[in-house]
Amino acid sequence: VTHGQFQSTAAQLRDALVTLGFDRSQATEADLLVYITAWVAHLEKALGLTPLLVHKNRLPARLAECLNRRAEQAAQRGMRELLGSLDDPASPLTIAPEEVLVAFTPQTAYAPATPYRGRLFTKHLYPTVGEMNQPEAEVAVILDALPEVELWLRNLDRHPNSFRLPCPTHKSDWFYPDFLARLTDGRLLVLEYKGSHLEDLDQAKRQIGLAWQRAMKSQGLFLWIGDAPETAQVRSIAEQIRLGIG
């Protein structure tokens, strides 16, 4: 197999990635071509030319899988570097108080695709409340009754006006916490409820939430509550929220 044949095969695989939904903007064309050429050469050396030709139609999907896995690993490394540098004044994560991405005003568009059908709340910013499951509704009842909470909002998932935090290890690249609240002392409370069955799957969300809290200093508070033993520590949901608010 000549170098020219490798280059041609690599170019064909590169073009096939588009049909498989791979985001080619993640790498330059030159870097992508160099990587694919080396990838094909590695397969030829490891498997031999004949198996490679027999299974050539399966190569694009295998390549896309390999590249997506590498992109995810790179995102995870970048997130670890970001979270590890937050105490550094030159940290790339800087959030100013005026950039919290949520405005507690009735003028902000709020249109849940599926409204919550249940009890009425007195402190929710809008008459309509976004969909909630039973545990989330119990959290809402607690927020509505707490004297420290001035207003609260059921944050909508993947809504253009919703509060969100970058989370490249998550499938949507964004983390939309469950609830927001403006406390009577002026702080912004961001709250995420997690059932025990999801506790171990979403630790990246927890870390980026805590990173946001550190970046906001005294003006923002992130609470991660739930019924998993490590999170609850024998405390009820109401006790976890009260303790977190302080």
Side-chain angles (χ1 to χ4, degrees):
V1 180
T2 67
H3 178 71
Q5 287 175 305
F6 270 134
Q7 288 285 80
S8 176
T9 302
Q12 293 171 5
L13 286 171
R14 177 199 60 196
D15 295 337
L17 289 175
V18 177
T19 63
L20 293 169
F22 177 75
D23 181 7
R24 283 169 55 175
S25 67
Q26 297 182 84
T28 66
E29 289 291 317
D31 287 343
L32 195 58
L33 195 58
V34 168
Y35 175 81
I36 297 174
T37 301
W39 186 76
V40 173
H42 171 75
L43 288 181
E44 193 274 337
K45 183 178 180 179
L47 304 176
L49 180 59
T50 300
L52 202 60
L53 293 174
V54 170
H55 298 289
K56 64 180 181 180
N57 292 333
R58 297 170 58 185
L59 290 180
R62 184 68 184 88
L63 174 61
E65 178 185 334
C66 182
L67 287 170
N68 284 327
R69 184 174 65 251
R70 283 180 170 269
E72 182 177 347
Q73 290 170 345
Q76 291 174 346
R77 287 195 300 271
M79 180 62 70
R80 286 195 295 269
E81 291 175 6
L82 172 64
L83 296 177
S85 64
L86 286 172
D87 292 331
D88 181 353
S91 167
L93 178 59
T94 57
I95 305 175
E98 64 271 16
E99 296 174 339
V100 295
L101 307 182
V102 61
F104 284 93
T105 64
Q107 287 73 38
T108 304
Y110 185 84
T114 306
Y116 169 71
R117 304 295 183 186
R119 62 165 291 163
L120 297 177
F121 297 100
T122 60
K123 293 183 181 179
H124 192 261
L125 183 59
Y126 301 95
T128 303
V129 181
E131 183 180 20
M132 299 183 287
N133 57 33
Q134 185 57 38
E136 291 167 343
E138 292 173 4
V139 174
V141 170
I142 295 167
L143 289 175
D144 208 60
L146 278 176
E148 295 88 350
V149 172
E150 180 182 346
L151 292 169
W152 66 274
L153 181 68
R154 168 59 166 149
N155 200 36
L156 301 179
D157 194 31
R158 289 183 284 276
H159 188 280
N161 292 328
S162 291
F163 177 89
R164 64 183 189 176
L165 294 170
C167 192
T169 60
H170 193 243
K171 60 183 178 181
S172 68
D173 286 340
W174 295 100
F175 163 36
Y176 296 82
D178 294 327
F179 298 96
L180 308 172
R182 186 170 71 194
L183 303 180
T184 54
D185 61 10
R187 288 180 297 168
L188 172 65
L189 168 65
V190 175
L191 188 149
E192 174 75 1
Y193 172 85
K194 272 288 169 281
S196 57
H197 63 295
L198 295 173
E199 180 81 14
D200 293 334
L201 300 177
D202 289 329
Q203 286 304 307
K205 293 181 180 180
R206 184 175 192 172
Q207 293 304 315
I208 195 60
L210 293 173
W212 172 86
Q213 175 180 285
R214 291 194 293 270
M216 290 293 290
K217 301 190 184 300
S218 62
Q219 301 195 51
L221 175 64
F222 177 79
L223 291 185
W224 179 276
I225 63 173
D227 54 11
E230 183 178 347
T231 298
Q233 296 183 3
V234 200
R235 298 187 182 96
S236 68
I237 295 298
E239 289 172 332
Q240 291 176 57
I241 296 176
R242 291 193 187 96
L243 182 64
I245 291 176

